[in-house]
Amino acid sequence: KFVFTFPQDWKTLNQKQGVIAGSQEGDAILQLSISASSSPDAASKAFFDQQGISGQSVGQQTVNGLSGVSGSFTAETQQGMLQGKAVFVAYEGKVFEIIGYSTQEKWPSYDRMINSSMFSFAPLTDQSKLSVQPMRVEIVTTSRSMTLDQFATTFPSPINVQTLAIINQVTENAQIKSG
């Protein structure tokens, strides 16, 4: 129940452990994930205490009315020095970790854009989005053979025949067997 805006035209990858976005040039990263820590302070300490990370949190930071901590860092990697920013935000009993970085040479050109995205994190208040309900799957056993079109007519659904074919792993002109 939150909103977060990645930089425009960045490619995103939604994974189980978080969402990662990369610049078109592939030289900057922004990651949003949930921290294992119980507070923004603890998450910040855990991040900045990692070996190879230099920097420190700048202390309490409000992010759209939410309690947070932020700080800048550098990190030495086998590919060279990275520079970035980390923001830790408490929301609905979780701590969200937002990390953005690039090479030290490129960081000045990404700093403002990444910072803007980091501080876009906010509670979702749009009722039209909060009231969205998931679609439900119903398993149906047919009593007779029929085409997929006939099936769709007999068992009405909010999805189209093309999607129905994909879900059932058949072609659109398939014959559905009884049972």
Side-chain angles (χ1 to χ4, degrees):
K1 296 181 194 174
F2 64 88
V3 293
F4 184 82
T5 306
F6 284 99
Q8 188 173 359
D9 298 326
W10 281 35
K11 295 185 191 302
T12 58
L13 179 60
N14 194 357
Q15 297 182 317
K16 184 178 180 180
Q17 61 272 29
V19 183
I20 300 170
S23 65
Q24 287 186 324
E25 295 76 18
D27 55 359
I29 299 288
L30 182 60
Q31 177 179 320
L32 171 66
S33 58
I34 297 176
S35 172
S37 299
S38 60
S39 72
D41 285 324
S44 175
K45 180 168 177 20
F47 178 79
F48 286 103
D49 284 351
Q50 292 179 90
Q51 187 169 355
I53 301 282
S54 299
Q56 62 182 22
S57 90
V58 293
Q60 297 298 316
Q61 180 82 49
T62 301
V63 179
N64 292 309
L66 304 171
S67 173
V69 174
S70 69
S72 297
F73 67 90
T74 58
E76 190 169 343
T77 70
Q78 291 178 344
Q79 292 79 27
M81 290 297 287
L82 299 177
Q83 187 169 351
K85 185 168 189 173
V87 177
F88 307 92
V89 182
Y91 181 59
E92 292 203 339
K94 294 177 177 66
V95 176
F96 290 84
E97 178 176 285
I98 309 165
I99 311 291
Y101 60 90
S102 183
T103 62
Q104 261 188 327
E105 301 80 41
K106 296 278 187 163
W107 178 251
S109 64
Y110 288 109
D111 182 16
R112 177 173 275 140
M113 181 185 311
I114 288 175
N115 197 57
S116 176
S117 282
M118 291 177 142
F119 287 90
S120 72
F121 187 97
L124 179 62
T125 58
D126 183 341
Q127 284 302 317
S128 69
K129 290 180 175 60
L130 288 169
S131 63
V132 169
Q133 294 295 312
M135 294 179 88
R136 305 279 184 215
V137 174
E138 181 180 347
I139 308 299
V140 176
T141 304
T142 59
S143 60
R144 62 181 173 85
S145 293
M146 60 182 74
T147 65
L148 195 59
D149 280 328
Q150 289 171 325
F151 179 90
T153 303
T154 305
F155 303 100
S157 169
I159 63 171
N160 60 34
V161 174
Q162 294 85 3
T163 304
L164 189 60
I166 292 168
I167 291 170
N168 287 282
Q169 299 178 351
V170 297
T171 61
E172 288 181 47
N173 58 358
Q175 185 76 20
I176 307 294
K177 294 180 183 176
S178 173

